[in-house]
Each structure stands twice: as structure tokens, then as C-alpha cells.
């Protein structure tokens, strides 16, 4: 099938699976949403909401009618993952929204979520759509160990609370793949590099490292990053994930050392923004903003572990 917006996942032995570059923050290769053309068609992740029409256009390309979509699943409620859930639920009236239980109420009433996101992302809020509340009767709450039955695919739910307490990852055993949310970091395909993600206010290094071990125990052939895209790891999943654990440890250590040196948190934040390493197709604004946000998250973590 010729596709435009919908890109077929060819990594590993994946079948029935497509991904969409949502153009998050008006940037290429920053945010991905996945579409499973399963017996019960599903979307995994929903983006920031601003470009949700791209997801609907991808469904049209794949041949999934909007009334046939049954599952909208999000790994966690941060709005770069769940911001489009309400908009997609409006457009796809027979789909339920599957969300980790600890965050479910924030999709029904997203007001506090919006406030927290604005604090975290600053002026990048301009790239978000105001989230549409999801009706409570269309919410399916997920717990660790649950399974979302899609017929010829199943999404096995694994808690991964290091990045945020409301995060899970979804294991698609038929594809030997895992939808990683933010539990495996940010993958930059053009550079072949993994980068840290440590936003405020719930980043926890030790739990993030435990989440890496959870992913290693699953031992997938393919990692399906929300940021960004599919990555075939084959028999090297454990080593690839250990690399992310090393990146996280080094990142936290660097911020801790710089805080000791400068003794001023705002100076630390600006230091890491000024010295942020370019990331593939991302612009300078995006790179600096990510550095600021991730530094704030680590500083908050350090405050609670002194």
C-alpha cells in the first residue's frame, strides 16, 4: 500500500502497524502516534492535539473508518502523549480511551493537567491544543498486569512509573514490540542516539532505572518510541536499554555537579540550555527548551533526595 502520512513499521517482524509523525512543536521526528490495524483497530498515543487531523488522515489512508476505531490507548497523561485523546474520541465515537488509572481523572477534567503542562513547557504551550475532556463513560482504566484485547494483537500493560507515576508501557507480543512511552528515553533516528527525558515534577532516577529493567525483562525485538519512531534492536535490547540507563545516570550526575559548582538553580538551568547538544532535525528553540525542562526535573528530584 502506498502511504503518505501513515508510515508502515517495517522494523523487526512487525505487522499491521503504522506510525504518524505528528509534527509536534512544528518539528519533524519529535512526536509519533501509532495505529494498529488489528481486529479491534487501535491508536497508541495521541500527540499534543494540535495536529490530530493527521492521525485521522492516516486512518483514512490505512482504511480504518472512524466509526470502526475501538481503542485509543495512552502510555501516560502528559499532554504530548494524551493531549489529543478527547479530540480523537469526538471524531471516533465508538472508541474508548484506555489510560493508566492513576491519571484517568485528569482526562475527564484536564484543567490541572493543563496548568502543570504550561508550567513545564513554558512558551511552547502555543503548540498545544486545549484538551477536550473525555467522557467518564468512555474511559477504561488500566493497571499493571492488564491486557487490552485487540483480537489478533494484545497490549500487555506494564507499570513504568519513573518518568511519571501514571506511566505504563504496552507490550505487543505478536509483534515482539513495546510501545515505550518515555520509559526508554528519546530516540533520535537520524543520529542513532538516545537522549534523556526527565521533566518535572515526578522524575525519579531510581525508578527510571527499574523501568529499564522492566523493559529488559520483556526483551522486545522492536522499541516503539513516542519520541521518536520504531527502532529494531533484535537480540541487543538489553544492551540498547542499558545505554539509556547510562545516559540517565550521567545526566543526573552532571546536573548535581553543576549545582554544587554554581549554587544557583536558574544558573544551572541556563548553563544546560546554553550547552545543549543539537538533536537532528530539532531547531535550537526545541533543543534549549528540552534542556531547561529536563534540568528542572532533575533539580526537583535532587531536592527530594538530599
Amino acid at each position: 500500500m502506498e502511504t503518505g502520512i501513515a508510515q508502515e513499521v517495517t522494523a523487526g517482524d512487525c505487522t499491521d502497524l503504522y506510525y504518524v509523525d505528528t509534527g509536534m512543536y512544528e518539528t519533524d521526528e519529535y512526536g509519533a502516534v501509532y495505529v494498529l490495524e488489528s481486529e479491534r483497530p487501535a491508536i497508541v498515543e495521541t500527540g499534543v492535539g494540535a495536529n490530530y487531523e493527521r492521525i485521522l488522515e492516516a486512518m483514512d489512508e490505512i482504511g480504518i473508518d472512524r466509526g470502526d476505531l475501538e481503542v485509543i490507548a495512552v502510555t501516560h497523561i502528559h499532554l504530548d502523549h494524551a493531549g489529543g485523546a478527547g479530540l480523537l474520541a469526538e471524531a471516533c465515537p465508538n472508541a474508548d480511551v484506555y489510560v493508566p488509572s492513576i491519571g484517568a481523572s485528569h482526562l475527564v477534567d484536564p484543567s490541572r493537567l493543563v496548568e502543570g503542562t504550561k508550567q513545564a513547557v513554558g512558551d511552547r504551550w502555543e503548540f498545544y491544543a486545549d484538551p477536550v475532556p473525555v467522557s467518564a463513560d468512555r474511559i477504561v482504566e488500566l493497571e499493571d498486569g492488564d491486557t487490552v484485547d485487540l483480537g489478533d494483537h494484545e497490549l500487555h500493560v506494564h507499570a513504568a512509573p519513573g518518568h511519571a507515576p501514571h506511566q505504563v508501557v504496552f507490550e505487543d507480543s505478536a509483534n515482539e514490540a513495546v510501545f515505550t512511552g518515555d520509559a526508554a528515553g528519546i530516540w533520535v533516528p537520524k543520529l542513532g542516539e538516545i537522549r534523556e527525558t526527565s521533566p518535572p515534577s515526578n522524575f525519579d532516577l531510581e525508578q527510571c532505572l527499574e523501568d529499564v529493567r522492566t523493559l529488559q525483562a520483556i526483551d522486545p525485538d522492536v522499541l516503539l518510541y513516542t519520541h521518536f519512531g520504531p527502532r529494531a534492536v533484535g537480540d541487543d535490547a538489553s544492551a540498547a536499554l542499558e545505554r539509556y540507563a547510562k545516559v540517565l545516570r550521567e545526566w543526573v550526575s552532571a546536573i548535581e555537579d553543576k549545582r554544587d559548582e554554581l549554587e544557583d538553580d536558574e544558573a544551572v538551568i541556563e548553563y544546560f540550555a546554553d550547552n545543549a547538544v543539537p538533536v537532528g532535525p530539532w531547531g535550537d528553540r526545541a533543543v534549549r527548551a528540552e534542556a531547561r525542562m529536563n534540568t528542572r526535573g532533575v533539580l526537583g528530584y535532587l531536592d527530594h533526595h538530599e
Side-chain angles (χ1 to χ4, degrees):
M1 180 186 70
E2 291 293 328
T3 60
I5 294 173
Q7 302 297 312
E8 188 171 5
V9 175
T10 58
D13 295 321
C14 288
T15 59
D16 308 323
L17 183 59
Y18 300 81
Y19 70 104
V20 181
D21 185 337
T22 63
M24 178 178 155
Y25 298 154
E26 297 183 0
T27 299
D28 293 335
E29 298 187 359
Y30 208 151
V33 166
Y34 294 88
V35 182
L36 261 167
E37 192 184 13
S38 41
E39 290 178 5
R40 298 183 66 222
I43 290 172
V44 179
E45 310 287 52
T46 70
V48 299
N51 295 330
Y52 80 101
E53 295 94 343
R54 292 192 187 191
I55 304 166
L56 299 176
E57 290 174 28
M59 289 171 54
D60 292 341
E61 290 178 356
I62 296 164
I64 300 173
D65 291 338
R66 296 175 191 185
D68 291 339
L69 188 75
E70 295 195 35
V71 173
I72 299 167
V74 297
T75 59
H76 59 296
I77 61 167
H78 286 166
L79 290 181
D80 54 331
H81 297 253
L87 290 161
L88 289 169
E90 280 189 340
C92 303
N94 297 315
D96 287 328
V97 176
Y98 289 68
V99 56
S101 61
I102 192 172
S105 64
H106 293 289
L107 295 192
V108 177
D109 177 5
S111 56
R112 289 181 58 195
L113 188 56
V114 168
E115 180 182 348
T117 303
K118 287 180 176 179
Q119 292 177 355
V121 304
D123 64 3
R124 289 196 295 173
W125 177 254
E126 69 177 285
F127 298 115
Y128 287 72
D130 288 325
V132 171
V134 178
S135 175
D137 63 2
R138 295 182 65 187
I139 292 280
V140 179
E141 297 187 12
L142 298 173
E143 303 285 354
D144 181 46
D146 285 350
T147 296
V148 182
D149 185 1
L150 304 179
D152 48 353
H153 291 265
E154 293 180 328
L155 300 181
H156 303 286
V157 180
H158 301 265
H163 176 81
H166 43 79
Q167 180 177 251
V168 301
V169 298
F170 297 118
E171 175 192 0
D172 177 1
S173 53
N175 277 330
E176 297 186 71
V178 173
F179 300 90
T180 63
D182 286 332
I186 291 175
W187 173 243
V188 187
K190 284 190 176 176
L191 300 180
E193 294 180 1
I194 195 73
R195 298 290 177 89
E196 68 282 339
T197 175
S198 57
S201 58
N202 299 120
F203 169 74
D204 184 291
L205 175 61
E206 285 74 26
Q207 187 58 63
C208 281
L209 298 177
E210 185 61 35
D211 296 344
V212 167
R213 289 188 281 273
T214 295
L215 291 167
Q216 288 173 320
I218 297 170
D219 193 26
D221 287 347
V222 180
L223 299 172
L224 301 166
Y225 293 89
T226 309
H227 315 290
F228 169 85
R231 177 189 179 190
V233 291
D235 295 333
D236 296 325
S238 184
L241 290 160
E242 187 57 39
R243 173 59 187 157
Y244 181 53
K246 183 173 185 289
V247 165
L248 273 181
R249 287 190 291 263
E250 290 177 349
W251 172 240
V252 172
S253 179
I255 293 173
E256 187 172 26
D257 290 346
K258 189 57 63 174
R259 180 188 239 186
D260 290 343
E261 175 190 337
L262 298 179
E263 299 182 340
D264 180 281
D265 282 0
E266 288 306 314
V268 173
I269 292 165
E270 288 311 306
Y271 171 84
F272 284 100
D274 291 342
N275 292 276
V277 178
V279 179
W282 299 8
D284 180 67
R285 177 184 178 184
V287 171
R288 292 175 63 86
E290 283 287 328
R292 287 192 181 96
M293 182 175 67
N294 288 327
T295 303
R296 287 192 185 97
V298 174
L299 290 170
Y301 159 79
L302 293 172
D303 284 340
H304 289 94
H305 289 77
E306 290 180 343

